[in-house]
Amino acid sequence: MLDTLCLYHGEEKWDGPRSLKDMMDFGADGKRQKWEDYFADYPMRIVCADEFVDCGGFRTSLGELFALLPFRKDKAGLEKLLEENPAYQSMDEETARTVSILMGIRKFMEQEEKYRSGEDYNMCQAIREMLEDSRKEGWGEGRKEGKREGRREGKREGRKEGRRKEQAEGIRIFIQSNRDDGITDEAIAENLQKYYFLSKDRARKALKKR
């Protein structure tokens, strides 16, 4: 018996038809049941990469491939699978290349011979190196982002400090100028509240500093 399978390995969840009936438009609800009763349906044998498949019936390495795919975004699950299944340490060339493409193992694509052992390939090693590289990249990106955020925070604080100094200098000049004109501290305090939006307490403290 020969079965044709369709493999969907996109990152988005499959929301397309899963049978011939899913592709048909039977019309309004009143006529729908009538047409469906006469319709011979055929299932689409589609395998979605992110959905778990019962791989017990496979006699080829296709089973290991399908078992691997749902863990593309699950590093812990992927590590556990590699530990429990030694088959990934020795895979045939065609399956190894398919695994490298679907799992995005760039290092294997670039240095295929590194993982070769006789006629087979150690995909367990290739996948683990991919996971380690991913961890290092994540750590490196985290450090870079931390530095960028630090610089941004430093600039923000620098601008705030600059504005505080400018305001303090403006207040100093304002107080001195008003005193030179003979204006009382009480009147100056009121003007500080009016023009610099200071509270009464802050206005009094500003006058005491001068």
Side-chain angles (χ1 to χ4, degrees):
M1 179 180 177
L2 179 64
D3 277 332
T4 300
L5 299 177
C6 176
L7 174 63
Y8 170 72
H9 55 88
E11 293 188 1
E12 300 295 327
K13 185 176 177 62
W14 173 262
D15 60 356
R18 291 181 180 260
S19 69
L20 186 59
K21 184 182 287 187
D22 291 343
M23 301 172 68
M24 303 300 295
D25 180 7
F26 293 102
D29 291 340
K31 296 181 180 180
R32 184 178 183 86
Q33 188 61 48
K34 177 182 176 181
W35 285 111
E36 281 189 292
D37 290 342
Y38 292 100
F39 188 81
D41 195 19
Y42 295 94
M44 291 177 62
R45 301 189 182 279
I46 181 167
V47 176
C48 296
D50 291 335
E51 295 178 1
F52 289 96
V53 177
D54 182 5
C55 302
F58 287 98
R59 297 182 179 179
T60 67
S61 55
L62 195 61
E64 279 74 41
L65 173 63
F66 287 163
L68 194 65
L69 296 179
F71 295 106
R72 289 187 297 178
K73 296 180 181 179
D74 181 0
K75 294 180 181 179
L78 193 54
E79 288 278 13
K80 184 178 179 182
L81 180 65
L82 295 176
E83 288 177 6
E84 295 177 348
N85 194 337
Y88 297 104
Q89 298 177 21
S90 181
M91 304 195 83
D92 63 87
E93 182 178 357
E94 184 177 1
T95 307
R97 288 179 176 175
T98 304
V99 167
S100 70
I101 293 170
L102 297 181
M103 296 293 291
I105 311 175
R106 291 174 302 194
K107 189 174 286 187
F108 179 87
M109 300 178 201
E110 297 167 357
Q111 305 174 36
E112 186 177 304
E113 288 301 313
K114 174 184 175 181
Y115 305 97
R116 185 169 183 169
S117 178
E119 296 297 321
D120 295 325
Y121 293 84
N122 189 339
M123 296 310 293
C124 181
Q125 178 188 349
I127 294 170
R128 281 184 169 143
E129 287 183 5
M130 175 192 71
L131 293 175
E132 182 60 27
D133 289 344
S134 177
R135 278 190 285 266
K136 288 179 180 178
E137 287 177 8
W139 182 73
E141 284 302 314
R143 287 191 63 188
K144 288 179 183 177
E145 181 57 32
K147 289 180 179 179
R148 285 194 291 267
E149 183 58 31
R151 285 194 291 268
R152 286 194 292 267
E153 185 63 25
K155 288 178 180 179
R156 285 194 292 268
E157 287 302 315
R159 286 194 290 269
K160 288 180 182 178
E161 183 61 26
R163 286 194 293 269
R164 282 194 292 266
K165 287 182 178 180
E166 287 177 5
Q167 185 186 48
E169 181 62 14
I171 290 171
R172 185 191 68 78
I173 294 172
F174 181 84
I175 292 172
Q176 187 62 49
S177 176
N178 278 264
R179 281 175 172 169
D180 289 345
D181 291 339
I183 299 173
T184 65
D185 279 3
E186 185 177 351
I188 295 173
E190 290 179 0
N191 286 330
L192 287 172
Q193 294 172 64
K194 180 179 179 180
Y195 297 118
Y196 287 90
F197 306 103
L198 300 184
S199 66
K200 184 180 291 186
D201 186 54
R202 286 189 64 193
R204 287 174 179 173
K205 287 181 179 178
L207 285 165
K208 288 180 180 179
K209 289 180 181 179
R210 306 292 179 264

